[in-house]
Amino acid sequence: MFVFTDFRLLAAGQTLSWIGNGFQTVALAVAVVQAGGGAGDLGLVMASSVTFTLFCSLFGGVWADRLQPRNVMIVSDLIRLAAAAAMAAMFFGDAYHLPLLCALAAISSGAGSFFSPAMTALRPLLIPADRRQSANATLSMLQTGSSVIGPALGGLTVAAFGAPAGFTVNATSFLASMAACLLLRTRATRGPRSSMLRELGAGWREISSRDWLIGGLFGATLYHVANGVILVLVQVVAIERLGGAASAGFIAAAEGFGGMIGAAVALRFKPRRLLRAGWLTLLLMPFWALAYVWPAELIAVLAGAVIGYAGLIFFDVAWETALQDQVPHSALGRVASWDYLTSFLAMPIGNALAGPLSARFGTDPVLTVCAAVLFIAGLSQLLIPGSRNLTRATETTAAPVTPPELAATTTG
């Protein structure tokens, strides 16, 4: 059945793209610093990227539900390829220009905000419903592994050949992703369109009509604010108390290893109430944060990173599978875009709060309180009947697509 071939194509293309992103992460920081830009310039580039991600997220979901997801992904890859190639040309020619770099980063991130909902909308069409959890776990494992391999290879490449080489590799990875998307044969059923605001509202009604989904989004928002604080402070603790840059590298590797374990568990462990299991495993993350406070030893932090990130990735698989099982395909892109928006909006808020809070109350108390917030945000979801009782789809074929005449107006 060709959908399995399409899934393999998607997985291969995305793995190369995820690895390429790691090259650009390293190349961008090195290029800006070596050009004399410093932290201020790098911060502006990153802020431009986040701003356009926020601005484009909801619109990306609407277009993912309006058009063929494959076509949205192809155009997104083409735009990101051009942006990465332009960055490579800028630094290869020693023509550093901060406003242009900010614009290119914004364009690339905005295009990515269209790609992600489209990929979410496409995935359930590529695999039978009873194999979605395994497919999501496979993609999570590939993405987590790429997040470790990409920066490592990127660092070696940039060190040997310079920052332009890192941007060039990333551009090439988008070309590979685009080629894979061009070969996809799966098509989605699409119905008549309505206004942008009306379609956004229909997507929100899909969320608000499901207690587990609306509760999960609000819980995730609280979770991401606290986690945004934690992710800043643990870097400071790692550098100042646990051995410096080498320790930070070991911790990042442990987080990646934990993510791989979580994805591997999700491949094998398939409880009927998968979402409930996901929220329970997410309760492991606070222990990772608390390890920086007590016993505040590197070995404990490494163990906490493995355990915590295993729980986090298992939850990610459970959440993605629940969305694909329960949300009508005609609205899946828009629901996914609301989901992405809460993450991108909440995380920078937490990042910005980390400095003032730690200066006022101290690093250890803030980490302790934020770990408690993570625990409460996860535990509270188990009070919601839908989160406790939602069951996995067991059909051996893909979930039915909403008929075309209902596709633009279905609200669940």
Side-chain angles (χ1 to χ4, degrees), residues 37-55:
D41 283 13
L42 185 59
L44 286 174
V45 174
M46 295 174 67
S48 300
S49 177
V50 171
T51 299
F52 264 71
T53 297
L54 292 172
F55 178 76

Side-chain angles (χ1 to χ4, degrees), residues 30-401:
V30 171
V32 170
V33 171
Q34 288 184 345
D41 283 13
L42 185 59
L44 286 174
V45 174
M46 295 174 67
S48 300
S49 177
V50 171
T51 299
F52 264 71
T53 297
L54 292 172
F55 178 76
C56 295
S57 288
L58 294 180
F59 299 106
V62 170
W63 285 104
D65 290 335
R66 283 181 169 184
L67 306 177
Q68 289 297 325
R70 163 188 174 273
N71 296 343
V72 176
M73 293 162 68
I74 290 169
V75 174
S76 173
D77 275 336
L78 181 60
I79 293 171
R80 292 188 290 176
L81 185 159
M87 292 181 191
M90 175 193 296
F91 288 104
F92 183 78
D94 293 324
Y96 175 62
H97 189 259
L98 179 60
L100 177 58
L101 183 60
C102 289
L104 291 172
I107 290 169
S108 181
S109 296
S113 294
F114 282 77
F115 187 97
S116 295
M119 181 175 168
T120 297
L122 180 67
R123 280 158 64 173
L125 300 178
L126 304 183
I127 210 78
D130 62 332
R131 299 186 64 176
R132 285 179 188 153
Q133 181 182 340
S134 296
N136 291 330
T138 299
L139 288 174
S140 290
M141 183 177 293
L142 292 172
Q143 186 173 16
T144 302
S146 299
S147 70
V148 176
I149 295 170
L153 293 177
L156 293 174
T157 300
V158 171
F161 303 105
F167 293 118
T168 301
V169 170
N170 193 38
T172 304
S173 75
F174 288 130
L175 180 62
S177 175
M178 185 171 65
C181 290
L182 284 167
L183 294 173
L184 297 176
R185 290 170 287 177
T186 301
R187 298 293 184 269
T189 302
R190 290 292 180 253
R193 302 175 186 174
S194 59
S195 70
M196 181 74 69
L197 289 178
R198 188 173 180 181
E199 292 186 17
L200 280 173
W204 179 253
R205 287 193 295 275
E206 290 288 351
I207 294 171
S208 60
S209 66
R210 295 166 173 80
D211 62 350
W212 64 270
L213 189 46
I214 187 70
L217 255 62
F218 281 115
T221 300
L222 179 63
Y223 180 97
H224 284 304
V225 171
N227 201 37
V229 175
I230 291 171
L231 289 174
V232 173
L233 296 185
V234 295
Q235 295 293 325
V236 175
V237 173
I239 298 298
E240 294 183 350
R241 305 181 194 172
L242 299 180
S247 294
F250 288 133
I251 293 168
E255 292 167 357
F257 180 61
M260 297 286 285
I261 292 175
V265 171
L267 276 171
R268 297 286 184 178
F269 178 53
K270 299 181 178 180
R272 186 164 177 263
R273 291 182 171 84
L274 177 62
L275 187 59
R276 178 170 66 184
W279 283 114
L280 285 170
T281 60
L282 191 62
L283 298 180
L284 297 172
M285 275 296 282
F287 296 99
W288 159 74
L290 288 174
Y292 285 89
V293 179
W294 186 88
E297 298 289 342
L298 180 59
I299 187 66
V301 170
L302 293 174
V306 172
I307 294 169
Y309 275 79
L312 174 64
I313 297 303
F314 185 93
F315 167 78
D316 284 344
V317 172
W319 182 257
E320 289 291 332
T321 304
L323 289 179
Q324 294 166 13
D325 283 350
Q326 303 298 326
V327 176
H329 187 266
S330 61
L332 188 54
R334 281 166 287 173
V335 170
S337 68
W338 281 105
D339 188 15
Y340 297 141
L341 181 65
T342 59
S343 300
F344 281 111
L345 185 62
M347 190 76 75
I349 292 173
N351 295 157
L353 290 173
L357 287 176
S358 62
R360 175 66 177 84
F361 300 105
T363 298
D364 287 355
V366 172
L367 281 174
T368 302
V369 170
C370 286
V373 172
L374 296 188
F375 192 84
I376 292 169
L379 188 64
S380 65
Q381 301 306 305
L382 298 175
L383 302 176
I384 300 173
S387 296
R388 293 197 310 271
N389 302 322
L390 196 71
T391 56
R392 289 189 299 115
T394 56
E395 294 86 358
T396 56
T397 57
V401 178

